[in-house]
Amino acid sequence: EAGVVQSPRYKIIEKKQPVAFWCNPISGHNTLYWYRQNLGQGPELLIRYENEEAVDDSQLPKDRFSAERLKGVDSTLKIQPAELGDSAVYLCASSRTSGGTYEQYFGPGTRLTVT
Amino acid sequence: KNEVEQSPQNLTAQEGEFITINCSYSVGISALHWLQQHPGGGIVSLFMLSSGKKKHGRLIATINIQEKHSSLHITASHPRDSAVYICAVYKGGSEKLVFGKGTKLTVNP
C-alpha cells in the first residue's frame, strides 16, 4: 500500500511570492489533515477535511492561506503571499475515517524556506 | 501549560544503552501515539495504544491511563535510532491529535 505522497519535498522562495503544496492521501482514506511544524515544536493542525468538506479550519490563517480538496482525494495548500514566518515543515496526513481514534498516517513533509 | 509534555527534551546515549522517553498529558484521551521523525523526513507511527503495553522489535511502549503517563523504551539502542520521538494524544471525544514537542535522541557509536 502506497503511503501519503507530498510534493515538493523542499521549496525555497522569496517573501511575498506564492507557493503551493500538494498531497495525495492513502487510497481509501477519507480524512485528510494539513499540519505546520515549526523548528523544535510539534505539528499544529491547519485544516482537516472529511471527504471534500473542510470540517476544521479554525487554525488556518485565512488572509494568506487557502486549501482545497477537490473530489475528496488529493489536496493543495497554498500560501500567498509568503512571509518569513511561514518557514516550516508542512505535513499532510490521512486516516480512514474521522470519529474515534483512527490512526493518522503522515507524509514526508514539505520543508519551506522563505528568504 | 502544554496538554502533552515530554521529557527529556534532548537525550544522548551510547550505543547499546537502554533508553526511556516519558510523556505526560493533562486531558482525557482515547488513545496515544508514539511517532518517530528523522531529520528532513516525515513522521512514522511507531505505536498507537490506549491501554497496557505494546512491543515491536526493540521498542516497547506502555501507558498508564490512571496516571496519564506513557513511556517509550528502546532496548540495545543503535545510532540509527537517532531521531525525534513525538508523543501525541487523541483528546477524548474528538478526532483532534495533540502533539508534544518531541524528544531529540542521539545515539553515539
Side-chain angles (χ1 to χ4, degrees):
Chain A
E1 180 182 76
V4 176
V5 179
Q6 288 188 249
S7 67
R9 291 294 311 278
Y10 304 92
K11 189 74 176 178
I12 301 174
I13 60 171
E14 294 182 347
K15 63 182 180 182
K16 300 184 181 180
Q17 294 301 305
V19 64
F21 315 124
W22 177 79
C23 173
N24 193 7
I26 292 173
S27 177
H29 283 195
N30 61 312
T31 304
L32 184 146
Y33 311 78
W34 281 105
Y35 292 93
R36 177 170 59 187
Q37 185 179 22
N38 293 312
L39 190 64
Q41 303 291 317
E44 295 177 322
L45 181 68
L46 292 174
I47 189 168
R48 174 169 66 92
Y49 282 93
E50 287 185 22
N51 300 305
E52 64 274 8
E53 182 182 0
V55 295
D56 184 356
D57 62 355
S58 56
Q59 301 302 312
L60 189 72
K62 298 181 183 63
D63 56 335
R64 297 183 301 107
F65 286 66
S66 65
E68 61 182 12
R69 192 185 184 198
L70 301 176
K71 301 180 181 179
V73 181
D74 57 349
S75 176
T76 303
L77 177 69
K78 298 178 181 177
I79 308 175
Q80 182 171 11
E83 297 179 353
L84 294 175
D86 296 330
S87 294
V89 175
Y90 290 83
L91 292 159
C92 179
S94 69
S95 62
R96 185 164 297 279
T97 185
S98 65
T101 58
Y102 292 96
E103 187 171 0
Q104 292 183 30
Y105 293 82
F106 289 83
T110 296
R111 182 177 296 276
L112 174 67
T113 302
V114 182
T115 62
Chain B
K1 189 177 189 297
N2 293 331
E3 293 175 317
V4 180
E5 297 278 359
Q6 289 185 234
S7 64
Q9 280 187 292
N10 292 282
L11 180 57
T12 300
Q14 287 300 122
E15 184 172 357
E17 287 185 359
F18 180 84
I19 289 162
T20 296
I21 299 171
N22 295 299
C23 175
S24 296
Y25 51 92
S26 57
V27 295
I29 72 168
S30 48
L32 181 144
H33 260 307
W34 278 104
L35 306 162
Q36 181 191 57
Q37 186 172 34
H38 283 281
I43 291 176
V44 175
S45 178
L46 299 174
F47 296 103
M48 183 170 156
L49 67 168
S50 54
S51 65
K53 173 180 173 179
K54 286 190 176 181
K55 184 177 189 293
H56 182 70
R58 295 181 294 107
L59 302 177
I60 302 167
T62 64
I63 187 168
N64 185 317
I65 296 296
Q66 287 73 28
E67 294 186 3
K68 296 188 174 180
H69 182 270
S70 176
S71 293
L72 176 68
H73 306 285
I74 305 176
T75 61
S77 60
H78 191 276
R80 64 175 174 267
D81 297 326
S82 298
V84 175
Y85 292 84
I86 302 172
C87 172
V89 301
Y90 285 97
K91 293 178 73 169
S94 80
E95 304 84 11
K96 186 175 182 180
L97 198 56
V98 180
F99 296 82
K101 292 184 178 181
T103 295
K104 184 177 180 180
L105 171 65
T106 303
V107 181
N108 294 317

